[in-house]
């Protein structure tokens, strides 16, 4: 495959020099209650300061999540630029700037033995629309939304060398193979066994209806070898609309190696939802490249549709649901425990009502190591701060925990001290 020339021009801005960031522990963040990451480990919390100006997230740290208080005022690591997104892998925390079409900064941190964040590297990367850990890499894709230039570019970033080690391109019009010329737009990336599965929606990429489609009632997943990124096959199903959503993961692998595919059923044409398929879950069994006969209609079970999900373990997911399909980009604010194995759902109690919630962390929530608790950051309407809520998966109950003063929580993670 021909390599795009701009990839070769990516320049590392700093990798050898370590920058010691401020620890953000404040007030009552130590001791007592809930999962403690250990005397040396820290929870990493990003929060957008509550100001009238557009500002970037701060990176804060805390000893535990179930009680206490931290603040964005005078604490943490202030980042450059707004619209940040995050991934934690190989015991490193990566912060990526969404450049809105322009290159953006990517910064990697680790935790030192003093409990402080240290900056490992800061470099420029193309703005990407999907990214995920694969083996010891982060695989990123810059995806075209223009049918006249339908190339998507992928990049392999090594978390061991902290450098880009490979790249390539995908003709998304050829991948979609639609009579009307629609192009494939990847919704996310998931490692399944030793392969990479990339669900995609087909979109017009033109005509004042860029993300509209005439193929609203089908799901497709491109399967690639790794690390070569050679297309192996396309998995197709017509029981649901596309898997995932724009910038939202819709495919999760359980402990058995089976992949569960979540569809919101919100494909649109000219801004109107035209999919005739309900929000539902389908499955790809381990070692296969086809959907089996598993099917769970979430709309029938809950009266709502899924906008995001977090996998806890043992077939149980935290489903984030919305009531009405008015937009392909709505964020749900209703919480349900989905037992995919037994095809049951249970509403979570102890949380603010949907009308009270301004924003939440969604997929950037944290799951305890034993899978029993999901920690979600929630900002209430009219609030000047946020709280971490602990959701007990088996009991489907929630309790309010750590308060973040002066900031809206955007992600929760955890790091152990670097060896």
């Amino acid at each position: 495959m021909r390599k795009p020339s701009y990839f070769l021009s990516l320049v590392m801005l700093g990798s050898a020099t370590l920058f010691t960031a401020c620890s953000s522990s404040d007030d009552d963040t130590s001791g007592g209650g809930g999962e403690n990451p250990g005397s040396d480990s820290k929870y990493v919390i990003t929060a957008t300061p509550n100001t009238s100006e557009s500002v970037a997230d701060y990176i804060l740290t805390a000893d535990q999540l179930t009680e206490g208080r931290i603040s964005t005022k005078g604490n943490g690591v202030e980042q450059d630029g707004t619209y940040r997104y995050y991934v934690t892998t190989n015991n490193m925390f990566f912060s990526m700037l969404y450049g809105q079409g322009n290159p953006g900064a990517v910064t990697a941190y680790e935790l030192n033995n003093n409990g402080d964040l240290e900056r490992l590297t800061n470099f420029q990367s193309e703005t990407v629309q999907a990214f995920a850990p694969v083996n010891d890499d982060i695989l990123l894709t810059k995806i075209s939304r223009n049918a006249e230039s339908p190339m998507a570019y992928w990049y392999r970033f090594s978390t061991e060398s902290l450098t880009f080690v490979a790249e390539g391109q995908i003709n998304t019009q050829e991948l979609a193979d639609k009579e009307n010329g629609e192009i494939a737009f990847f919704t996310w990336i998931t490692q399944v066994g030793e392969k990479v599965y990339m669900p995609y929606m087909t979109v017009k990429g033109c005509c004042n209806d860029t993300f509209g489609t005439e193929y609203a009632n089908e799901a497709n997943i491109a399967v690639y070898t790794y690390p070569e990124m050679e297309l192996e096959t396309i998995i197709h199903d017509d029981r649901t609309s596309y898997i995932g959503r724009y910038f939202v993961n819709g495919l999760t692998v359980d402990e058995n190696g089976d992949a569960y595919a979540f569809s919101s059923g919100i494909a649109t044409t000219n801004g109107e939802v035209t999919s005739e398929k309900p929000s539902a879950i389908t499955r790809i069994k381990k070692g296969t490249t086809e959907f089996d006969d598993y099917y769970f209609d979430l709309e029938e079970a809950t009266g709502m549709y899924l906008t995001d999900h977090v996998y806890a373990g043992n077939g149980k997911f935290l489903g984030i649901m919305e009531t009405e399909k008015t937009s392909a980009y709505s964020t749900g604010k209703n919480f349900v425990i989905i037992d995919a194995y037994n095809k049951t759902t249970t509403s979570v109690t102890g949380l603010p009502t949907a009308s009270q919630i301004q924003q939440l962390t969604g997929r950037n929530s944290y799951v305890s190591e034993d899978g029993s608790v999901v920690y979600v950051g929630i900002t209430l309407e009219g609030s000047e701060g946020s709280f971490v809520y602990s959701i007990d998966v088996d009991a489907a109950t929630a309790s309010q925990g750590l308060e973040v003063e002066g900031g809206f929580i955007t992600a929760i993670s955890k790091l152990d001290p670097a060896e």
Side-chain angles (χ1 to χ4, degrees), residues 301-322:
T302 66
M304 299 180 286
Y305 74 98
L306 188 87
T307 67
D308 208 345
H309 76 283
V310 179
Y311 185 55
N314 297 314
K316 292 187 177 180
F317 299 80
L318 175 64
I320 301 170
M321 316 287 289
E322 181 61 291

Side-chain angles (χ1 to χ4, degrees), residues 253-320:
V253 182
D254 73 356
E255 296 86 346
N256 300 319
D258 300 334
Y260 286 83
F262 291 75
S263 175
S264 297
I266 42 79
T268 64
T269 302
N270 295 318
E272 298 292 330
V273 175
T274 53
S275 174
E276 299 170 349
K277 306 295 182 178
S279 179
I281 309 174
T282 49
R283 183 178 63 188
I284 303 166
K285 293 290 286 183
K286 178 181 179 180
T288 70
T289 52
E290 61 183 3
F291 288 100
D292 67 2
D293 61 359
Y294 176 94
Y295 182 81
F296 184 19
D297 186 330
L298 293 175
E299 287 189 46
E300 183 179 55
T302 66
M304 299 180 286
Y305 74 98
L306 188 87
T307 67
D308 208 345
H309 76 283
V310 179
Y311 185 55
N314 297 314
K316 292 187 177 180
F317 299 80
L318 175 64
I320 301 170

Side-chain angles (χ1 to χ4, degrees), residues 52-75:
S52 58
E53 300 177 356
S54 179
V55 294
D57 287 359
Y58 276 68
I59 306 177
L60 310 171
T61 59
D63 292 329
Q64 52 82 52
L65 298 174
T66 56
E67 62 183 19
R69 183 172 62 251
I70 57 177
S71 175
T72 61
K73 299 177 181 179
N75 293 299

Side-chain angles (χ1 to χ4, degrees), residues 47-344:
T48 304
N50 178 26
T51 68
S52 58
E53 300 177 356
S54 179
V55 294
D57 287 359
Y58 276 68
I59 306 177
L60 310 171
T61 59
D63 292 329
Q64 52 82 52
L65 298 174
T66 56
E67 62 183 19
R69 183 172 62 251
I70 57 177
S71 175
T72 61
K73 299 177 181 179
N75 293 299
V77 179
E78 182 179 4
Q79 303 185 83
D80 296 327
T82 55
Y83 302 111
R84 286 277 175 170
Y85 45 94
Y86 307 99
V87 61
T88 301
T89 184
N90 215 5
N91 201 33
M92 286 177 280
F93 182 79
F94 291 84
S95 172
M96 304 178 185
L97 175 65
Y98 189 85
Q100 302 184 72
N102 301 311
V106 179
T107 311
Y109 299 89
E110 69 178 9
L111 191 70
N112 67 21
N113 289 326
N114 294 323
D116 297 323
L117 292 173
E118 288 188 350
R119 189 172 69 184
L120 298 175
T121 185
N122 185 48
F123 59 94
Q124 292 287 313
S125 168
E126 292 297 319
T127 290
V128 297
Q129 290 78 34
F131 57 90
V134 181
N135 295 334
D136 289 324
D137 302 329
I138 299 176
L139 180 63
L140 310 98
T141 56
K142 178 182 176 67
I143 312 166
S144 172
R145 61 188 69 183
N146 186 344
E148 294 184 358
S149 55
M151 304 308 296
Y153 299 95
W154 59 264
Y155 311 99
R156 266 205 312 124
F157 181 84
S158 170
T159 61
E160 295 181 330
S161 65
L162 296 179
T163 59
F164 286 99
V165 294
E167 49 78 33
Q169 62 186 29
I170 299 167
N171 187 317
T172 58
Q173 200 163 60
E174 292 180 357
L175 178 65
D177 192 26
K178 297 301 185 185
E179 292 182 358
N180 68 347
E182 289 192 13
I183 60 178
F185 194 96
F186 300 113
T187 57
W188 210 246
I189 301 167
T190 301
Q191 180 175 359
V192 181
E194 296 302 314
K195 303 181 188 300
V196 168
Y197 282 38
M198 298 176 67
Y200 63 86
M201 50 185 177
T202 66
V203 299
K204 296 176 183 177
C206 68
C207 319
N208 297 318
D209 190 21
T210 301
F211 283 99
T213 180
E214 294 181 13
Y215 301 90
N217 298 312
E218 62 179 47
N220 297 284
I221 301 174
V223 178
Y224 292 90
T225 62
Y226 199 80
E228 302 85 3
M229 287 297 292
E230 297 288 343
L231 179 64
E232 184 174 278
T233 190
I234 296 173
I235 307 174
H236 176 83
D237 199 333
D238 59 9
R239 292 174 297 171
T240 72
S241 187
Y242 58 77
I243 304 304
R245 302 193 302 155
Y246 178 83
F247 220 78
V248 175
N249 179 31
L251 191 67
T252 295
V253 182
D254 73 356
E255 296 86 346
N256 300 319
D258 300 334
Y260 286 83
F262 291 75
S263 175
S264 297
I266 42 79
T268 64
T269 302
N270 295 318
E272 298 292 330
V273 175
T274 53
S275 174
E276 299 170 349
K277 306 295 182 178
S279 179
I281 309 174
T282 49
R283 183 178 63 188
I284 303 166
K285 293 290 286 183
K286 178 181 179 180
T288 70
T289 52
E290 61 183 3
F291 288 100
D292 67 2
D293 61 359
Y294 176 94
Y295 182 81
F296 184 19
D297 186 330
L298 293 175
E299 287 189 46
E300 183 179 55
T302 66
M304 299 180 286
Y305 74 98
L306 188 87
T307 67
D308 208 345
H309 76 283
V310 179
Y311 185 55
N314 297 314
K316 292 187 177 180
F317 299 80
L318 175 64
I320 301 170
M321 316 287 289
E322 181 61 291
T323 54
E324 296 183 26
K325 294 182 180 180
T326 58
S327 168
Y329 308 103
S330 296
T331 299
K333 297 173 182 177
N334 301 277
F335 295 81
V336 173
I337 299 300
I338 300 170
D339 185 336
Y341 293 170
N342 295 305
K343 296 184 180 180
T344 61

